[in-house]
Amino acid sequence: IAGITQAPTSQILAAGRRMTLRCTQDMRHNAMYWYRQDLGLGLRLIHYSNTAGTTGKGEVPDGYSVSRANTDDFPLTLASAVPSQTSVYFCASKDSPSTDTQYFGPGTRLTVL
Amino acid sequence: SQQGEEDPQALSIQEGENATMNCSYKTSINNLQWYRQNSGRGLVHLILIRSNEREKHSGRLRVTLDTSKKSSSLLITASRAADTASYFCATDSKGGSEKLVFGKGMKLTVNP
């Protein structure tokens, strides 16, 4: 089935632990994005990648890192989770940086205690 | 910083009525998009309007854009209970890095 998958669906994590959220797309899209969604704040961009091998910082990058070793995968890592990183995380992709429509994954609900 | 701001933040209507949502933004844009999010799901693209367009239709959706006022509206005609969702506008700024900036969203409830 074409699209974007994210794992895990949800996670409860102790503060200070390391966590990697996984994102995989099978549409061969070049550009990928990580957002966090918080009540009253909408979606905010964390990191992005315009093509495999490159990444960039979004609006709220602190405490997060990403890698883009290949076209399909774009993992997001929290090196040492803090409670303020409790959020719903969405991965998205689009065909290229210059095309318009983004396609979103189903999200990962993360709770940091 | 948020580029788009939806208004109202929440709207409750009866099935069959029209729903209008507004979005204001701050900087010059290449295009403006509207997305829908059902509860607990990811966002789904609805419609895009470019900066040189004033109105666009797609099924029961009608989008207008007024670049002089830096605003857009999304009209859903003959609403259905299944239209209940959150709606977001997103802008792609001119001279920017081709990343979308999303508004905070608007919750639409269509009562059967």
Side-chain angles (χ1 to χ4, degrees):
Chain A
I1 298 176
I4 300 179
T5 58
Q6 291 185 236
T9 302
S10 65
Q11 181 76 44
I12 299 173
L13 189 67
R17 297 296 295 270
R18 180 184 180 89
M19 176 72 191
T20 295
L21 308 184
R22 299 185 297 279
C23 173
T24 300
Q25 52 98 2
D26 62 1
M27 298 176 282
R28 307 302 294 171
H29 284 175
N30 285 301
M32 297 186 74
Y33 307 84
W34 273 107
Y35 296 91
R36 60 177 290 173
Q37 184 176 31
D38 302 288
L39 194 63
L41 295 176
L43 278 83
R44 292 180 292 169
L45 182 65
I46 305 171
H47 284 287
Y48 67 96
S49 169
N50 285 335
T51 190
T54 69
T55 63
K57 293 181 179 180
E59 182 184 355
V60 288
D62 293 344
Y64 305 94
S65 64
V66 291
S67 61
R68 187 87 185 278
N70 57 63
T71 297
D72 299 343
D73 302 299
F74 191 42
L76 176 74
T77 298
L78 289 68
S80 179
V82 295
S84 62
Q85 292 177 311
T86 293
S87 187
V88 181
Y89 292 86
F90 288 98
C91 180
S93 72
K94 59 178 181 173
D95 185 31
S96 74
S98 59
T99 55
D100 301 310
T101 302
Q102 288 192 15
Y103 297 85
F104 282 79
T108 293
R109 182 174 295 276
L110 181 67
T111 302
V112 183
L113 301 176
Chain B
S1 62
Q2 294 292 334
Q3 167 75 314
E5 293 285 342
E6 295 87 355
D7 171 60
Q9 292 188 334
L11 179 64
S12 181
I13 60 175
Q14 294 300 122
E15 212 166 23
E17 293 180 341
N18 296 341
T20 299
M21 291 160 269
N22 302 302
C23 171
S24 59
Y25 57 91
K26 297 176 182 175
T27 62
S28 296
I29 60 171
N30 288 317
N31 64 65
L32 185 144
Q33 303 179 42
W34 285 91
Y35 285 78
R36 165 196 170 121
Q37 183 181 34
N38 287 78
S39 181
R41 310 291 289 273
L43 277 72
V44 175
H45 179 261
L46 291 177
I47 194 168
L48 176 151
I49 188 165
R50 301 198 181 281
S51 60
N52 61 353
E53 297 175 312
R54 292 296 166 259
E55 186 171 315
K56 202 162 184 180
H57 297 256
S58 176
R60 293 184 295 114
L61 304 180
R62 172 178 170 256
V63 172
T64 61
L65 180 65
D66 186 335
T67 53
S68 67
K69 295 181 180 178
K70 292 187 169 57
S71 67
S72 172
S73 67
L74 172 67
L75 169 67
I76 303 175
T77 60
S79 64
R80 305 167 181 168
D83 294 328
T84 295
S86 292
Y87 292 82
F88 295 83
C89 66
T91 53
D92 175 7
S93 298
K94 280 186 178 178
S97 52
E98 297 165 323
K99 299 187 292 293
L100 290 180
V101 178
F102 287 84
K104 297 179 183 179
M106 194 220 76
K107 173 66 177 173
L108 173 66
T109 302
V110 181
N111 301 299

